[in-house]
Each structure stands twice: as structure tokens, then as C-alpha cells.
Amino acid sequence: PLLTMQLMPPGYTFFINSHTSFGKFISEIKPQYLSPVALYRSKRMVLDSVGVGLIGSTTDVFELALQHCQHMHAPDPISSVYGRRGIRLSPTLAAFVNGVATHSMDFDDTWHPATHPSGAVLPAVLALSDMMPANSKPSGLDFLLAFNVGIEIQGRLMRFSNEAHNIPKRFHPPTVVGPMGSAAACARLLSLDPSQCSHALAIAASLAGAPMANAATQCKPLHIGNASRLGLEAALLASRGLEASPLVLDAVAGVAGFNAFYEDYVPQPLKSPSDNDNGHVFLLEEQDMGFKRFPAHLGMHWVADAAASVHKVLVGVDPGKVSPDQVQDILLRVPLSKYINRPFPESEHEARHSFQFNACSALLDGEVAVQSFSPAAMSRPELHALLSRVRLEHPQDNPANFNRMYGEVQVTLVGGDILKGRCDTFYGHWRNPLTNESLRKKFRNNAGVVLPSEKVERLIEAVEELDRLDDCGALLSQLE
Amino acid sequence: MLRKGITESFGAAIHALNATHLTDGVIHRSKRMMLDTLGVGLLGSRTAVFNKALMYSQMFVSEQRSSVWGRSEITLPPHYAAFVNGIAVHSMDFDDTWHPATHPSGAVLPALLALAETLASRPSGLDLLLAFNVGLEVQGRLMRFSREAYNIPERFHPPSVVGVMGSAAASAKLLGLSPAQCSHALAIAVSSAGAPLANAATQTKPLHIGNAARRGLEAAQLAQIGLEGNPAILDVANGLGVYYGDYNPSPMADSGAFRWILEDQNVAVKRIPAHLAMHWVVDAALAARAKLRDTVGTFDLSQIRQVTLRVPPSKYINCPLPASEHQARHSFQFNACSALLDGQVTVASFDRAQINRPALRELLSKVEVETPEDNPPSFDKMYCEVEIGSAEGRSAAARCDTFYGHWRKPLSQRDLVEKFSVNASSVLCPEGVEGLIDVVGNMEKVSECSVLGSFLRMTSNREQLYRTRIM
């Protein structure tokens, strides 16, 4: 039942309503509730996120974010920075730049309902772990528990709203649920009490929310960087006694809380395992994660796979390169979503959010890869020729929803032949997950850009053993 | 609704506005706002929320350091100085309020002062005045994009939406950014906007202003080193528009027919450290109290049978039994009863002991709240009525349409300076207090505005002893 603020008499410290139930859960959850499936899936997420962060440390936007932190603040020998040996920053700043790195190429994991959960949480948990004294670092299992709490809270919050189930239009989801997940994970790692955990979430809510208009710009990676940083900040402020509303997650008429970010919103309390004979089932066990095979918005993966199948046919018929001269018309049947409909993207950020660009790249090259977004690749005349022949259709049966959408590429050749490719589930989607081998290959390609191969292999091992490590420092030390 | 070039026009205007655009009227009003803001910030540097934020902020290291208001021995990295000083300003809900509703100064001045202390260019008082007014103007313009903004908020706390934009604009101005960079500063700032109203009436609310100041400054500095956001962030529906139910942006003129909003729309300066709406109910309660006393000869609380408040509808300031100082500052009932009990509402009225007084709690239990149809939730149009019903069947009622301090009835210069002096003297020595009055009073002639920082740190001996003891 909803308890309104005005009914709270003085002296009351803790009501159980939706908001405070979340605080209680975060404080009371224990590692024993992490099932083998949750451990397995979350370790894959940690590995992928680290790899994506490492390659992300080579981007301009990361450099900019790092430069900003270094200008505004002095070096602080606490938390390490992806791909930069010898540079350490204050924990929230490290969380910030590492979060920026993670999302810099739109290469990070995506969940359903849609958000990029790991980038908002892992950098904060790493930075916080670095902050803890050397002789009392969290165990690997505590680390994983905090990480999973951060993911879980994000998943639970997104299920409060139908709007969250579709490709976003107003607020960028990582900015809404990301800070909440980060705050939860950090509160867990700091072992805050239920009331403090509750306040951490509420403080984070006042830091949540950025609009979609900055997606497909250089600013977007900061959404994840800030989610990570601000969630950590919220937890640290709560640990110092800062208090906020105990009703943020509840829907109080006339005073918006978390529901400010959604048009429809129905909160549910979260049962703490101590109150629940059945323990706790993490959402990750029921809903797996999508991992990207190339650095672009998730929606691109469908059209890329569809276009790749057409490419295969084309080079099968006429071995060699695909030439624009062969192509008369390209029709893409995709969901309706303005911010990923860009006929002639002008920056790498726009290109990662362009059905047209990714379809044409895959048509030309047989795949989309990291290099597809380089300035050279982006400015190819053949690519531009193809782009000018693309039309989009938005079939009624193709919803803007990562669980139900499809991508169709229909190429009409100059001779009149029509080639069709369709992808319902791309390889890497939660319905068709990357094998461990594919995931490690992606990790090696990414991490190898920045780290020597021995370190890369040791990282793979450290993550694999994470739940058995007494001291997560073994993982932390490999990151530099 | 896509109209080309609105964001561009804002960037151009921020860049192009210069000291010759400042009028006497705007200079006069904005200096009053500066003085008031410094005073409430200094008083606020004694609050629990400020101390928590300060402790947190001391975790950060930097080479450049900026002043912490009311502290002689602590400096912080500029972002965190902006953060804590902004928190101080809003910590007691004592800072200025505008129409459409926001607290414009607290989001801007702390950022500018923190920034000014680090700039090799050593900005003058006039530079500060100009940047300050740019920060106010941008906030005012943005709020006029939406009808929703004209009423007491329900969804997002306005300082968290437009405050960060004002801070970004003001910081961009002081940094001398190019028109394009100014636009990008705004775009980056939007991604830092928007805190839900639920944290109003809690200890976290002051952070909305502290964060607006800090993150606006950060947005400008990121734009300075080349970060880019959406160049149409104010134009498109899914940019700044996401924070409003209705959103209709229009371009900003940079010269020619430019007129500052502050010229035509003054701010309200508070006499009581509480939500603006409380000022109406307090004035009405005091008037009703006086009427009853005049009728009966004495004013006897035990005679009161019922107190009826007629107020505009707004959930977050309707709190029958506040449990904290933050709730008390957002409670029609509490403020009316404090006024009836004590004949005044002051800073001290919100101390824990005062909030928990049995006599007050008893009076609170006699309060009924009505929300008449003709009382809109708008700081420009609302009124408050207080009707006291006594045991013998007598009643006295009074109505307040415009409290003293509202933009329609501004504080006299004497009373504004008096408010500042009382606030500042709680922390600073007389030299600091007088120094600030002097510098702000002559701001347009001051050669280096960072001199403010040195006065802001002139704590009294009593303060210094206090600090030394607890260290």
C-alpha cells in the first residue's frame, strides 16, 4: 500500500513501501543467492564490458573526458583508468572516464527492456574496489554480487513501465536506470544499511535523466560515464548520512518521483531474500544479455546480418567485390525510430545510429566491424553511392522493440533481379547468444589493441575465476 | 515542432551580449540578487547538508582551488566549490525565486565565483555582472518555452532543469567561448538536467542547486575542450523538451531589439527560510492574529478552536505534520501555526526543538486546509487566507495577495541589506560583511571580482575558534 509523506509521524525511521523495499533488498542480498546461471552470465558481461572499455580508451571522446578530469583535478593515486597505465584518478572520476570508454563506440551490452546495463555499473564497482584498502578488498564473489545487484535493480525498474519495453523516444534509458543501478551496486559494495541504501537510490534519482536528442552525438558516451559516476557519488553521499525522499520509486500523485521519467509507471516492491523462503531469482537468469559483434546501436545488427546474407549471394554469383553499379535500389524494412534513421551520417556517432549506413557497409564488405566507422571507410565513394539508393519502410508488424523486431534488406539489381535477406535474431542477441569462444575472440580483439597478449589472457582467466577469488585485487591489477 | 536555429541563436546571443547591453535597471536588480545570494549562502554554510557535501567534496584533489563560502581554511576544486556553495545557497530554502518559478541565482553565482577565481584573465566585476545576467536570462527564456513552467511544479524541480542551463550559459560567457561552443555547452548541460520533485522537502533538495551550478560549469568546460552535443538541443522535441509536457521554443535575439527579462520581471526575495508559498500564509496568519488580538484584547492560543487555510493546490507543500526541518519549510500548516504561536517566523523557527514543540503540534492538529477554485498554483496569481475560529465562536480572517518581498512589493534596499547583514554576520567578521556590501554595491567598478572570495572567507574569531575546536 502507498504511504504518503504527510502520514509519516516524527520518529519513524523506516517504512516498507516500494522504494524502501529496494533499499532493504540491496542491503540484505547475499552471494549465496547468485545461481550458477547468474554467475555465468554476469561474468561474461564483466569480460565483454572490460574489453569494450579497453578499446574505448582509444577514442577521441575518451581522451576528451580524461583530459577534462586531469585539467580540473589533480592525479589521485586511487582508481585506475582503462588502457592508461600510470594514470589514476579519484574514484568518481575514474568511474566517469571508464564509463565513457565503455559506451564510446556503442559496443557495449544491451538488455531487454532496453538499456546498456554493464557500463553504468562496472566502472563504478571497479573504482570503488580500488578505493578500498589493500588488505580489505572485496572478494571476487562480493564484487560479482555488487555487480549483479546493479544489473538487477536496473531490470526491476524498467519493468515498472510499458514505455521502457520499446526503443526509447524521450529519455535515454542508461541515464534513467543506470545511475540507480550504479548507486545500488556501490551501496551493496559499501555494505550500507537498508536506510542508507534507500537514500542512495533516492539521491541517484535526482541525478538521473538525459534526453534522447544527445544520442548519436559525441555526448552520448557521457551518459554512461555519468550514470556510473553519479551512482557512486550517490552511494558515497548516503554513506555520509545524506538523506532524501523514501518515496522516490513510489508514485505519489502531484509530486513526481522516478515516475517523472515515464508516461506509464506502476512500481512493485522488491522482496528481500530474508523475507522470502524461496530465496531470490535474478532477472538475468530469466532474461539473458545481448552482446554486440560490432560497435553500433543494437538495431543495426539486424540489418547488418540481413545485408550480409545478400552480400554472400552477390559475391557467390559474381566473385570479387560488390560494386554499386550492380545495385539499383536498396529497400530496408525496419522499425520506426527516428534517431536510428539517418540516410547520410556525417560523424562516426551518427553512423553507429544509421540503419542505412550499416546495411550498406555490410552489403559492401560482408560484415560491419570496428574499422567500418573509420574516417576512411566512412568516406568511400562506393558507400555513398549505395547510400543514395536506400529507401526505408516501416511495416506495421515490425515494432520498435528489441525483443520483437526484425530487419529485412531487399536489393534490386540493375538487371531486375531481387535479392532478399531477413534477420529475425542476429548472432549475439539473447535468443542466439555468442558462444564463449566468440565472446573471447571479441575480447581479445578489443583488449589486444591496448594490452599485451599475456595481460589479455590473464584478464580472461581472472574474470573466469572471479567468483572463486578471495581478493578482487587480482582482477584490478590486471586492468592496468 | 522543429524550427531551425534556436539553439544556434542562444549560442550566438551568449557570445555576443556585452557590458554595453547592461542597463541601470538590470544592474541594480542583479546586484541585489548577488548580495542576497551571498548572504543566504553564508548562513547556509552552517547547515548539516552543507557539511556532508563538504566532507564528500574534500575527497577530490586539484591544483586549482576555489573558495568555500564561510570557511577561511578550506578550498576545493572549482567544480566542488560550485557544488557546496550552491548547496549552501539553497540549504534553507532562503534564496531568491522568479516567475516563472525557479531559484535563478543559486544555480549561477556559485559557479561563476568558483570559475572566476581560477581564470588567469582575472575577470572584473562588470564581467561577473554580465555573465551572471546571461545566466539568469537564459533561464528566463527557457522557462517561457512552456506553459507548464508558469505554475508551481509537479514533475521536475525547475532549478534542476533550467538552473544547469543558466550555469552553463554564464560559465560559457565568462570563459569567452565561441558561439558554437556556447551552443554545445547548452547541449551538454541538457544531459545533466532534470531532477524529480520527490526530493523537494528533503535534505537532498539543496543538491539540486549545487549540482546545477557544478554541472553547468562542467558543461561549459567540456565544450571549451571540444566536446559536442546535439546542435539543435533546444529545437527538437526530444531535447530540453523532454522535461515539459508542452514545449514551444523560440529564438533569442542577440542585439537590436534585445531586452533583459529581469528588466520587466523582478525576483522575489525571501524573508523566511521556507518555500515561497509560505510567505503568503505567514503574512495572512500574522494579520489574522493581529485582528483577533485587537478584537479580544489579548491573543490566547488556548482559545483557538480551528485554523482554516485557503491555499493553492500543491501536494509537496501540504504537510500537516512535518517531521524534519525540510518538511517544515514546505508546509503551509507549519508556517501558519509558527506565525500564530510566535508572532513571527524566522530562521530559528525551523530548529528541531521548535518543530517538536507540544504547543505547536497541538495547534497543528487544529488546522484544516482548503484549496479554493480561484486560487491557482502560480506564484504570480496565488493568495493565502487564514481564518482563526475561537472557542467562543469569534473568528478573524485575513488574506494576503502579495507578501512583502514578492516582485510586486520588493524589499526596500535597507531591508535587503539588513537581511544580508544578519545572515553574513552569523559567519563572517564585520570586515567581511561590510566588505561584501561594499564590493557588491560597486560591482560594476570593481577591477577583480575574485576579491569577493577573500571577503567570503573572513570568518569571525568566534567562528575560527569554533572550527579549531572541532577539528
Side-chain angles (χ1 to χ4, degrees):
Chain A
L2 176 71
L3 294 156
T4 56
M5 232 151 56
Q6 57 223 64
L7 294 178
M8 281 169 61
Y12 245 107
T13 50
F14 206 68
F15 267 108
I16 295 295
N17 47 308
S18 288
H19 185 93
T20 50
S21 75
F22 272 64
K24 193 162 187 283
F25 171 86
I26 294 164
S27 188
E28 293 179 356
I29 190 77
K30 293 182 176 22
Q32 70 223 48
Y33 296 105
L34 285 170
S35 68
V37 170
L39 283 172
Y40 170 77
R41 288 179 173 177
S42 57
K43 287 194 295 186
R44 280 162 56 97
M45 287 158 69
V46 169
L47 187 70
D48 186 67
S49 190
V50 168
V52 159
L54 287 170
I55 193 176
S57 73
T58 62
T59 59
D60 286 344
V61 62
F62 170 84
E63 192 57 55
L64 213 144
L66 181 60
Q67 195 191 344
H68 172 76
C69 290
Q70 290 177 307
H71 277 179
M72 296 304 136
H73 303 273
D76 196 0
I78 300 182
S79 300
S80 58
V81 169
Y82 281 152
R84 297 302 166 98
R85 202 148 191 215
I87 294 183
R88 286 200 174 227
L89 297 172
S90 301
T92 58
L93 301 178
F96 175 63
V97 302
N98 290 338
V100 169
T102 306
H103 200 42
S104 59
M105 298 164 74
D106 232 302
F107 212 174
D108 44 333
D109 56 21
T110 311
W111 212 11
H112 178 68
T115 196
H116 304 293
S118 298
V121 174
L122 187 61
V125 174
L126 284 170
L128 191 52
S129 300
D130 272 330
M131 190 173 118
M132 290 169 159
N135 56 5
S136 55
K137 295 262 184 240
S139 66
L141 199 54
D142 286 333
F143 184 99
L144 270 172
L145 178 64
F147 179 76
N148 275 281
V149 164
I151 305 301
E152 178 74 356
I153 294 310
Q154 293 184 68
R156 293 282 164 180
L157 292 176
M158 288 190 292
R159 278 155 178 73
F160 288 175
S161 153
N162 290 318
E163 183 183 334
H165 285 69
N166 296 330
I167 295 180
K169 287 187 195 176
R170 281 190 322 143
F171 291 100
H172 188 210
T175 66
V176 180
V177 296
M180 310 297 281
S182 172
C186 295
R188 174 64 250 147
L189 202 63
L190 287 166
S191 300
L192 301 188
D193 71 37
S195 172
Q196 289 171 317
C197 289
S198 175
H199 289 306
L201 283 181
I203 296 163
S206 272
L207 297 163
M212 284 307 293
N214 275 331
T217 76
Q218 196 185 36
C219 199
K220 189 192 189 199
L222 272 71
H223 289 185
I224 287 275
N226 275 323
S228 208
R229 154 166 59 159
L230 297 171
L232 172 54
E233 181 169 280
L236 289 171
L237 284 165
S239 77
R240 293 194 178 280
L242 187 70
E243 295 178 344
S245 166
L247 290 167
V248 164
L249 294 185
D250 298 83
V252 177
V255 184
F258 197 63
N259 60 324
F261 302 109
Y262 296 104
E263 312 243 272
D264 71 298
Y265 182 84
V266 180
Q268 300 289 337
L270 186 53
K271 260 210 161 129
S272 170
S274 63
D275 298 330
N276 190 353
D277 292 330
N278 301 323
H280 181 77
V281 177
F282 283 83
L283 288 169
L284 188 58
E285 297 171 59
E286 298 168 341
Q287 170 66 61
D288 201 359
M289 194 63 50
F291 293 110
K292 291 175 176 178
R293 284 184 359 258
F294 57 85
H297 183 278
L298 202 78
M300 309 303 109
H301 286 63
W302 278 269
V303 296
D305 275 17
S309 63
V310 173
H311 167 92
K312 255 200 184 136
V313 172
L314 274 172
V315 296
V317 159
D318 184 2
K321 288 173 116 169
V322 169
S323 162
D325 300 334
Q326 303 165 270
V327 172
Q328 182 171 293
D329 175 79
I330 304 170
L331 175 62
L332 305 182
R333 291 200 184 88
V334 292
L336 179 63
S337 178
K338 269 174 60 176
Y339 83 108
I340 38 182
N341 173 350
R342 295 170 193 272
F344 296 103
E346 286 174 16
S347 69
E348 79 184 78
H349 306 286
E350 290 188 13
R352 302 187 199 282
H353 296 77
S354 163
F355 280 129
Q356 296 90 333
F357 179 88
N358 286 271
C360 292
S361 292
L363 203 57
L364 264 181
D365 306 327
E367 62 163 4
V368 180
V370 170
Q371 311 86 272
S372 307
F373 301 92
S374 69
M378 280 186 61
S379 55
R380 287 181 289 173
E382 323 81 277
L383 184 65
H384 280 256
L386 285 183
L387 281 173
S388 63
R389 286 161 213 184
V390 177
R391 299 179 291 131
L392 254 53
E393 257 175 30
H394 307 295
Q396 290 265 23
D397 71 343
N398 200 349
N401 174 310
F402 292 144
N403 209 24
R404 295 190 285 135
M405 65 174 275
Y406 63 85
E408 242 176 47
V409 174
Q410 182 175 293
V411 178
T412 307
L413 299 177
V414 159
D417 291 335
I418 295 180
L419 300 173
K420 244 191 190 169
R422 174 168 170 138
C423 173
D424 287 289
T425 302
F426 65 86
Y427 177 46
H429 190 270
W430 43 85
R431 284 192 301 262
N432 186 8
L434 292 191
T435 60
N436 280 338
E437 202 192 304
S438 296
L439 193 76
R440 286 178 185 187
K441 180 164 172 235
K442 176 186 174 186
F443 178 79
R444 286 187 179 102
N445 286 341
N446 287 342
V449 171
V450 174
L451 296 178
S453 58
E454 322 87 67
K455 275 228 143 128
V456 173
E457 294 310 311
R458 283 207 292 269
L459 263 173
I460 294 176
E461 276 165 35
V463 173
E464 183 52 42
E465 297 172 348
L466 192 51
D467 49 322
R468 298 181 289 281
L469 288 176
D470 285 333
D471 186 335
C472 69
L475 169 66
L476 300 174
S477 57
Q478 298 306 331
L479 283 171
E480 280 200 290
Chain B
M1 234 237 86
L2 189 80
R3 282 175 231 178
K4 280 207 154 53
I6 293 170
T7 312
E8 213 181 307
S9 75
F10 271 69
I14 293 166
H15 173 81
L17 283 165
N18 60 60
T20 63
H21 292 103
L22 291 172
T23 65
D24 287 341
V26 151
I27 289 178
H28 173 72
R29 286 182 171 177
S30 56
K31 288 196 302 186
R32 282 166 54 99
M33 290 160 75
M34 280 190 182
L35 191 69
D36 185 58
T37 302
L38 293 176
V40 306
L42 285 165
L43 183 67
S45 72
R46 306 283 299 287
T47 57
V49 60
F50 173 85
N51 278 307
K52 288 175 188 176
L54 182 61
M55 274 198 298
Y56 169 75
S57 300
Q58 289 179 292
M59 180 175 120
F60 295 91
V61 293
S62 65
E63 278 161 25
Q64 293 181 325
R65 314 287 291 182
S66 299
S67 302
V68 174
W69 301 0
R71 292 301 173 100
S72 57
E73 78 287 3
I74 299 177
T75 56
L76 286 176
H79 288 180
Y80 289 94
F83 178 58
V84 306
N85 292 331
I87 287 171
V89 168
H90 201 41
S91 59
M92 300 164 78
D93 231 303
F94 212 176
D95 44 329
D96 55 25
T97 312
W98 216 5
H99 177 67
T102 195
H103 303 293
S105 300
V108 175
L109 190 61
L112 288 177
L113 290 185
L115 179 60
E117 287 184 296
T118 68
L119 292 177
S121 59
R122 300 202 198 284
S124 65
L126 200 56
D127 292 331
L128 181 69
L129 267 171
L130 176 62
F132 182 68
N133 277 284
V134 165
L136 302 177
E137 182 71 11
V138 165
Q139 293 184 69
R141 295 264 166 178
L142 294 178
M143 287 189 293
R144 279 155 176 75
F145 288 174
S146 159
R147 283 189 310 274
E148 183 182 321
Y150 282 76
N151 293 332
I152 295 179
E154 289 192 356
R155 216 158 61 112
F156 290 104
H157 188 211
S160 68
V161 180
V162 297
V164 67
M165 307 301 288
S167 171
S171 303
K173 182 75 223 161
L174 202 65
L175 285 167
L177 301 191
S178 71
Q181 288 173 322
C182 290
S183 294
H184 285 302
L186 292 177
I188 297 161
V190 177
S191 276
S192 295
L197 200 59
N199 277 328
T202 76
Q203 197 181 46
T204 289
K205 188 192 190 197
L207 271 71
H208 292 183
I209 287 275
N211 275 321
R214 156 171 62 148
R215 301 186 72 196
L217 171 57
E218 180 171 81
Q221 289 172 323
L222 283 165
Q224 186 181 38
I225 57 173
L227 185 70
E228 297 186 352
N230 188 329
I233 195 73
L234 300 179
D235 302 65
V236 297
N238 66 351
L240 187 71
V242 301
Y243 300 105
Y244 296 104
D246 66 296
Y247 182 75
N248 245 300
S250 53
M252 187 170 165
D254 58 357
S255 50
F258 179 81
R259 192 173 166 83
W260 301 91
I261 291 176
L262 187 61
E263 198 89 67
D264 298 323
Q265 172 65 63
N266 204 353
V267 293
V269 171
K270 290 178 174 175
R271 283 174 14 252
I272 304 162
H275 185 276
L276 200 76
M278 307 302 113
H279 289 64
W280 277 269
V281 85
V282 166
D283 274 14
L286 293 175
R289 184 184 194 271
K291 270 192 190 173
L292 195 62
R293 190 195 53 213
D294 289 344
T295 320
V296 179
T298 58
F299 178 71
D300 186 353
L301 276 174
S302 59
Q303 297 293 318
I304 296 179
R305 188 178 41 83
Q306 168 148 316
V307 178
T308 307
L309 307 181
R310 293 186 188 95
V311 298
S314 178
K315 191 81 193 290
Y316 80 110
I317 42 184
N318 177 348
C319 185
L321 221 58
S324 69
E325 83 184 72
H326 307 286
Q327 287 184 348
R329 301 185 199 280
H330 297 75
S331 165
F332 280 125
Q333 295 91 330
F334 177 87
N335 284 272
C337 290
S338 289
L340 291 177
L341 206 55
D342 303 329
Q344 57 172 5
V345 181
T346 65
V347 170
S349 305
F350 299 91
D351 291 345
R352 178 162 291 273
Q354 293 293 90
I355 293 173
N356 291 330
R357 284 181 289 172
L360 184 67
R361 312 301 292 182
E362 202 201 317
L363 193 55
L364 280 170
S365 67
K366 297 176 184 171
V367 176
E368 290 283 322
V369 170
E370 291 173 10
T371 54
E373 291 245 12
D374 71 344
N375 202 349
S378 153
F379 291 144
D380 203 42
K381 302 203 188 112
M382 62 174 276
Y383 65 85
C384 282
E385 241 173 52
V386 175
E387 185 176 339
I388 311 169
S390 74
E392 304 102 24
R394 285 184 220 276
S395 78
R399 171 171 167 142
C400 173
D401 286 292
T402 302
F403 66 86
Y404 178 46
H406 191 270
W407 44 83
R408 287 191 299 262
K409 202 192 277 186
L411 287 193
S412 66
Q413 190 63 17
R414 207 191 76 153
D415 287 341
L416 184 99
V417 175
E418 172 72 8
K419 176 190 174 187
F420 169 79
S421 295
V422 169
N423 287 343
S425 300
S426 68
V427 175
L428 299 184
C429 65
E431 193 193 337
V433 176
E434 293 306 317
L436 284 171
I437 295 174
D438 189 43
V439 171
V440 175
N442 293 296
M443 185 63 78
E444 63 272 45
K445 300 177 211 120
V446 166
S447 58
E448 267 185 50
C449 65
S450 57
V451 67
L452 282 168
S454 50
F455 288 114
L456 286 164
R457 293 198 305 271
M458 279 186 192
T459 51
S460 63
N461 282 334
R462 176 172 46 87
E463 259 301 296
Q464 279 162 9
L465 277 172
Y466 172 71
R467 295 286 148 214
T468 319
R469 265 208 311 277
I470 64 168
M471 269 200 300

